[in-house]
């Protein structure tokens, strides 16, 4: 019974750990948490970055550790899960809606293969128009591409699809 309550508390705590680059999304919505175990030593959490070379991984690990230790008053051990690779299908529906509201086009769902069309054919998160074009496959971070909407004239980023 104690473990169930503690597991619920861990996940409640993780809901408040936001991505430092997209602060409207938490690590659960991003699909970054791969395993949680609670034992006599404390809470053991495995996480994965959204991009292999993500520069924020150490900050996210530290934020997870600090939040869980503060909220549960027990030691937390956070490690990168080397057995699981993140892909954009791990984003929750809530995450995709929040991305759109934040002005970032969410990635489309894929069946394991990401093709160029998924990077080129992107709806504008501001007006919903399909009349957009890829300005650059490189945005402000490694996981984003830069687009322009011919309909509303807005530049916007897309969270890149990744398999």
């Amino acid at each position: 019974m104690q473990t169930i309550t503690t597991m619920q508390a861990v996940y409640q705590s993780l809901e408040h750990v936001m991505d430092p680059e997209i602060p409207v999304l938490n690590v659960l919505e991003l699909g970054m948490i791969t395993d949680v175990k609670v034992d006599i030593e404390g809470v053991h959490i495995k996480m994965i970055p959204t991009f292999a070379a993500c520069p924020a991984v150490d900050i996210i690990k530290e934020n997870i550790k600090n939040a869980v230790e503060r909220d549960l008053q027990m030691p937390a051990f956070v490690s990168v899960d080397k057995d699981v690779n993140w892909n954009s299908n791990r984003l929750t529906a809530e995450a995709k809606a929040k991305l759109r509201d934040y002005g970032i086009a969410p990635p489309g769902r894929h069946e394991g293969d990401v093709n160029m069309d998924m990077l080129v054919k992107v709806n504008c998160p501001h007006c919903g128009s399909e009349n957009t074009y890829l300005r650059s496959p490189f945005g402000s971070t490694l996981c984003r591409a830069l687009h322009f909407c011919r309909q509303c004239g807005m530049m916007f980023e897309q969270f890149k699809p990744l398999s």
Side-chain angles (χ1 to χ4, degrees), residues 2-22:
Q2 177 65 25
T3 301
I4 292 170
T5 303
T6 303
M7 291 294 278
Q8 290 171 342
V10 171
Y11 281 96
Q12 286 173 343
S13 181
L14 292 173
E15 287 176 0
H16 302 288
V17 179
M18 308 311 276
D19 182 277
E21 294 172 345
I22 308 173

Side-chain angles (χ1 to χ4, degrees), residues 87-131:
N87 72 70
S88 54
N89 285 346
R90 293 182 68 95
L91 287 167
T92 65
E94 293 83 8
K96 290 181 179 187
K98 286 180 179 182
L99 279 171
R100 227 181 271 85
D101 291 344
Y102 193 65
I104 298 174
R109 186 147 182 87
H110 58 79
E111 299 303 319
D113 289 327
V114 173
N115 57 49
M116 193 61 180
D117 273 356
M118 294 180 79
L119 193 60
V120 174
K121 295 181 180 179
V122 177
N123 290 7
C124 175
H126 303 289
C127 71
S129 174
E130 295 176 359
N131 190 10

